[in-house]
Amino acid sequence: MSMITLIMYGLDKAAARKKTGRISERSLLLCGLACGWPGAILAQQMFRHKTRKPGFRLRFFATIILNVAMLVAFFAVI
């Protein structure tokens, strides 16, 4: 999932530069929530994408916290 998320960020950055159809922030956040957040962090640094939007960054870090909490809860049950 991280690789898919990284590719999505790259495609969105390319679309932003060309001013063409973009990938929604919601889609990027959902991919991050689905265990793709390590790839998203890498993509943000590689492409310098979505690093200056405080609202997006706040929601992004909230999805990381939620994802880690869900993983901890899952493994606590097992």
Side-chain angles (χ1 to χ4, degrees):
M1 197 61 198
S2 284
M3 184 60 72
I4 292 169
T5 304
L6 185 138
I7 291 167
M8 288 179 64
Y9 271 76
L11 292 172
D12 189 49
K13 179 66 175 194
R17 286 183 175 157
K18 293 178 183 178
K19 299 186 190 285
T20 60
R22 303 279 306 272
I23 296 172
S24 70
E25 287 187 352
R26 182 176 187 210
S27 294
L28 295 174
L29 290 169
L30 287 174
C31 283
L33 182 61
C35 295
W37 59 268
I41 290 173
L42 182 59
Q44 288 174 6
Q45 299 308 307
M46 285 176 56
F47 305 123
R48 299 184 190 268
H49 192 48
K50 300 290 185 189
T51 58
R52 294 187 179 188
K53 294 185 76 177
F56 180 84
R57 300 279 297 167
L58 180 64
R59 289 178 294 172
F60 174 69
F61 285 115
T63 64
I64 293 173
I65 292 167
L66 182 58
N67 185 258
V68 171
M70 289 187 306
L71 287 172
V72 168
F74 175 76
F75 286 110
V77 171
I78 292 179

